[in-house]
């Protein structure tokens, strides 16, 4: 007990001694006067606050640094049929096929090999056939045709709608109703707008000039109706589907949502390009007709 009491008395004493030492050292440092050279350097370092602010504000002719996200967004090129590469197809997972047990022999020219029981698609063929499909979509849009995008698999609805809106086309993102093309008057007639000049006449329905099938395996009825109506079809054909049933097949993985979105975006971009070219052509013809009319009046 006595030792504990002695320790309690010694602890405050040592703390007081340390405080006194600190105060004395601070006084000693505060009383030391700088030399003449040190005083001159301190005076030189003191800058006018207005000049300091001028240094902080960059001049107008200097380009400001952009945020990282903006520089990355500007550096990323939009995906078009012209800058499409095998690297982008590979990153989207379009090279992965189905199991060899589900292999369709007609897809042999498009297969690069097998790995761990999975067929690997040759992306060189995919790139060639994708560019051919883009040329077809561009020409159809250039000639004023209607393009229909069909994607009924879960997860394909949004990208199907976006692709159709991009090129001002049409889409089927839910179940394909049998008879949409072969019996269009009964299936689509009630949804068509009537003729204002002849309301009693049955509403007229139109058929698409090109169909883009994103999942042909689940839409055999749509493919059969397109063949009966002589409508060309662009479709993504995996290793378990016969590409001879499609007019313009694209050998690729149809299970990858990212890959299907890439294909749909490229085809719709090509169709948009053809549509813009058609508008430019019509505007040029309109200007020429107005110019010839003005010359005749003069």
């Amino acid at each position: 007990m006595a030792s504990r009491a002695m320790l309690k008395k010694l602890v405050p004493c040592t703390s007081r001694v340390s405080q006194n030492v600190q105060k004395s050292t601070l006084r000693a440092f505060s009383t030391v006067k700088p030399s003449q050279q040190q005083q001159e350097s301190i005076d030189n370092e003191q800058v006018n606050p207005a000049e300091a602010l001028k240094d902080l504000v960059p001049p107008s002719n200097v380009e400001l640094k952009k945020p990282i996200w903006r520089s990355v967004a500007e550096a990323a090129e939009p995906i078009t049929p012209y800058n499409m590469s095998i690297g982008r197809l590979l990153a989207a997972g379009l090279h992965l096929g189905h199991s060899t047990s589900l292999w369709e022999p007609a897809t042999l020219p498009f297969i690069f090999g097998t790995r761990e029981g999975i067929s690997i698609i040759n992306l060189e063929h995919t790139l060639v056939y994708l560019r051919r499909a883009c040329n077809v979509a561009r020409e159809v849009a250039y000639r004023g045709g209607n393009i229909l995008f069909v994607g009924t698999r879960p997860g394909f609805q949004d990208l199907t709608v976006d692709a159709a809106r991009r090129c001002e086309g049409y889409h089927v993102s839910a179940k394909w109703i049998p008879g949409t093309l072969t019996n269009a008057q009964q299936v689509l007639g009630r949804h068509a707008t009537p003729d204002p000049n002849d309301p009693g006449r049955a509403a007229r329905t139109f058929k698409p000039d090109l169909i883009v099938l994103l999942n042909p395996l689940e839409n055999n009825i749509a493919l059969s109706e397109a063949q009966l109506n002589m409508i060309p079809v662009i479709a993504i054909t995996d290793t378990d589907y016969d590409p001879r049933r499609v007019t313009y097949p694209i050998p690729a993985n149809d299970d990858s949502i990212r890959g299907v979105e890439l294909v749909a975006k490229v085809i719709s971009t090509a169709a948009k390009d053809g549509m813009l070219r058609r508008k430019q052509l019509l505007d040029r013809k309109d200007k020429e007709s107005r110019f010839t009319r003005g010359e005749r009046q003069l």
Side-chain angles (χ1 to χ4, degrees):
M1 297 295 292
S3 61
R4 290 182 182 179
M6 292 293 293
L7 285 173
K8 289 181 181 180
K9 292 180 180 180
L10 287 173
V11 169
C13 294
T14 54
S15 61
R16 290 174 186 174
V17 171
S18 61
Q19 290 177 1
N20 294 331
V21 171
Q22 289 178 0
K23 289 180 181 179
S24 62
T25 52
L26 290 173
R27 288 174 184 172
F29 280 111
S30 63
T31 53
V32 175
K33 293 183 179 180
S35 61
Q36 186 175 0
Q37 295 179 356
Q38 293 177 352
Q39 187 66 33
E40 290 177 357
S41 63
I42 292 170
D43 295 337
N44 294 330
E45 289 178 357
Q46 291 179 356
V47 185
N48 192 7
E51 295 178 357
L53 290 175
K54 288 182 180 179
D55 295 337
L56 293 175
V57 179
S60 58
N61 56 357
V62 177
E63 295 182 359
L64 297 176
K65 291 184 178 181
K66 298 179 181 179
I68 296 176
W69 64 269
R70 184 173 294 177
S71 59
V72 170
E74 292 177 357
E77 298 180 4
I79 300 174
T80 60
Y82 306 103
N83 61 2
M84 181 56 60
S85 61
I86 294 178
R88 290 185 173 180
L89 299 178
L90 183 67
L94 291 174
H95 63 289
L96 299 174
H98 281 281
S99 175
T100 54
S101 60
L102 302 174
W103 172 57
E104 171 63 38
T107 61
L108 180 61
F110 308 134
I111 294 179
F112 180 79
T114 58
R115 183 176 178 84
E116 296 182 0
I118 297 175
S119 301
I120 305 300
I121 301 171
N122 192 348
L123 293 181
E124 292 181 355
H125 295 289
T126 304
L127 184 61
V128 172
Y129 281 83
L130 178 59
R131 287 176 176 172
R132 185 182 69 164
C134 291
N135 293 334
V136 172
R138 188 185 298 108
E139 288 298 324
V140 170
Y142 179 72
R143 299 177 186 276
N146 298 323
I147 301 177
L148 175 64
F149 289 84
V150 181
T152 58
R153 188 175 294 179
F156 289 3
Q157 286 82 5
D158 294 337
L159 61 93
T160 305
V161 174
D162 293 340
R165 288 178 178 175
R166 191 176 293 109
C167 61
E168 297 182 5
Y170 303 90
H171 63 86
V172 176
S173 58
K175 180 184 177 181
W176 177 272
I177 301 175
T180 302
L181 297 178
T182 55
N183 195 13
Q185 193 62 42
Q186 296 294 329
V187 176
L188 303 177
R190 56 182 178 177
H191 301 289
T193 56
D195 190 3
N197 299 326
D198 190 4
R201 187 179 178 182
R204 187 181 177 185
T205 58
F206 298 90
K207 295 180 181 179
D209 299 291
L210 178 66
I211 296 178
V212 181
L213 266 176
L214 302 180
N215 55 330
L217 193 63
E218 291 88 353
N219 292 302
N220 290 323
I221 297 175
L223 187 59
S224 301
E225 293 184 12
Q227 291 174 353
L228 290 174
N229 289 273
M230 303 297 292
I231 299 174
V233 178
I234 297 173
I236 301 175
T237 57
D238 211 328
T239 57
D240 61 342
Y241 193 81
D242 190 357
R244 295 173 296 183
R245 299 188 59 188
V246 183
T247 314
Y248 302 101
I250 302 174
N253 180 15
D254 62 348
D255 295 326
S256 173
I257 297 178
R258 185 178 177 186
V260 173
E261 183 180 6
L262 177 65
V263 173
K265 186 176 182 180
V266 171
I267 295 175
S268 61
T269 304
K272 182 180 179 180
D273 187 14
M275 184 183 60
L276 293 176
R277 290 183 182 180
R278 177 177 176 81
K279 288 182 180 180
Q280 293 175 0
L281 179 63
L282 295 177
D283 293 342
R284 195 182 309 115
K285 288 183 178 180
D286 190 13
K287 290 180 181 179
E288 290 177 357
S289 62
R290 289 180 182 177
F291 183 73
T292 53
R293 289 176 187 173
E295 286 184 349
R296 290 176 183 176
Q297 291 178 0
L298 293 175

